[in-house]
Amino acid sequence: MSRFWSATTRALQPYVPGEQPKLPNLVKLNTNENPYGPSPKVCEAITREIGDSLRLYPDPNGERLKSAIAACFGDIEPRNVFVGNGSDEVLAHVFLGLLKHEQPILFPDISYSFYPVYCGLYDIEFVTVPLDAAFAIQVDDYRRPNGGIIFPNPNAPTGRLLPLGEIARLLDANPDSVVVIDEAYIDFGGESAVTLVQRYPNLLVVQTLSKSRSLAGLRVGFAVGHPDLIDALERIKNSFNSYPLDRLALAGAAAAIEDREWFERTRQAVIRSRTTLVVELQAMGFEVLPSAANFVFARHPQHDAEKSALALRQKGIIVRHFKAARIDQFLRITVGTDEQCEKLVAALKEITAA
Ligand SMILES: *Cc1c(COP(=O)(O)O)cnc(C)c1O
């Protein structure tokens, strides 16, 4: 605290990202990064971009990237697409540009912990809606006056998927609210709601290249929706930073979207490893929530989650534990390579045998 801080700064409760320790040989399963690298075509595209052109500003509108994203989905035009510096930045603009209204917005009690942070930053009222006893979203619980609705699908940190039909039902019940579906993990087991965008002008779908395209370090995210929603985001963006994506990010991201084959191969590998990991965890007595993401959310009836996370850390493996109501007995474990998963399973066998 300093006397130079504004009242806004003093009132903030910033988000705390998962740690990025620099230890050698660490098995890092705490922040849902992709264990496989990005497409080699990403590195080629970035390398090509390094040179004299860096003296020039990048395309403020990211037109080429928007076209690549639109082509990837089909049925979508570049004017349905907004791009930003990671989906966290896209989400920040969404909160200010589309979710700040008279009524409080709604999101699940267990959800992405950045949402309440944006509400604090932009002074947006919110009400949390409890997940059911099985940690699933019940869309009928969102039939109430609201200034907007947002949640991840699959949800984080539970990994549970809400089927597309339920999202359509939620949209039908809330025609006067913006409904934002944060699809950071959709490529690991769900069907994207982008296919509903032409039918629902109040639907905004947010995705990131950080997880399924293995580009957390490049910082690229995007939103797909009706041009009126996209215009709102452009207005906020152009009142904040005209060039959120640099030349390297724009070039690398377009190459990643265009390399369908690498994308398919690596996401299928993650899905296969997840299936094996779930079986192994269940064999040890863990209860594992059904996951459609690149992580699993698991608890052991006899072993305290925080202690297990610490014991794993002593063995050079880090996972995420949240000291939050309802979920403090769960571990959130990123699906790594098969080798990393085997190390995790061996370590947990020792811990749960003790
Ligand atoms: C990882 C994640 C994001 C942020 O992704 P970036 O594009 O890296 O900013 C957004 N929402 C959820 C639910 C996530 O898990």
Side-chain angles (χ1 to χ4, degrees), residues 74-291:
D75 195 29
I76 288 292
E77 303 292 325
R79 63 195 195 107
N80 294 115
V81 183
F82 176 80
V83 294
N85 191 278
S87 61
D88 284 341
E89 184 186 78
V90 176
L91 289 167
H93 294 346
V94 168
F95 275 79
L96 183 58
L98 294 168
L99 295 177
K100 187 174 160 92
H101 299 289
E102 290 285 295
Q103 302 266 13
I105 64 164
L106 307 177
F107 51 80
D109 61 338
I110 298 161
S111 185
Y112 188 32
S113 45
F114 222 135
Y115 301 158
V117 175
Y118 293 129
C119 289
L121 175 62
Y122 294 126
D123 199 15
I124 299 166
E125 273 189 71
F126 66 91
V127 171
T128 58
V129 180
L131 297 180
D132 71 12
F135 298 94
I137 289 171
Q138 291 296 339
V139 299
D140 291 332
D141 296 344
Y142 292 76
R143 286 176 188 271
R144 49 192 286 178
N146 64 75
I149 295 169
I150 182 167
F151 54 80
N153 194 42
N155 197 10
T158 65
R160 286 206 70 147
L161 181 76
L162 187 67
L164 210 49
E166 289 299 288
I167 291 177
R169 229 158 56 72
L170 175 73
L171 287 157
D172 286 328
N174 290 276
D176 299 320
S177 301
V178 174
V179 173
V180 183
I181 309 295
D182 178 355
E183 294 190 334
Y185 302 104
I186 195 72
D187 298 321
F188 299 106
E191 210 185 328
S192 174
V194 165
T195 53
L196 300 177
V197 157
Q198 301 296 359
R199 229 166 83 204
Y200 295 99
N202 58 326
L203 168 63
L204 190 79
V205 180
V206 178
Q207 289 198 3
T208 175
L209 276 69
S210 295
K211 277 84 181 219
S212 58
R213 260 85 179 193
S214 198
L215 286 173
L218 201 64
R219 313 304 306 133
V220 183
F222 60 91
V224 181
H226 189 282
D228 287 350
L229 303 185
I230 301 304
D231 277 352
L233 301 177
E234 300 288 358
R235 285 171 72 90
I236 301 281
K237 171 237 170 199
N238 287 317
S239 306
F240 180 75
N241 178 3
S242 308
Y243 306 103
L245 291 178
D246 60 61
R247 285 178 170 273
L248 308 186
L250 287 170
I257 297 287
E258 282 162 2
D259 193 348
R260 298 289 308 180
E261 205 238 293
W262 183 271
F263 167 71
E264 279 303 328
R265 197 140 47 90
T266 50
R267 77 183 179 120
Q268 294 303 341
V270 170
I271 292 168
R272 270 197 308 277
S273 301
R274 179 182 70 212
T275 308
T276 312
L277 176 62
V278 168
V279 171
E280 300 258 27
L281 289 171
Q282 285 170 337
M284 263 182 272
F286 278 92
E287 176 200 347
V288 188
L289 298 190
S291 171

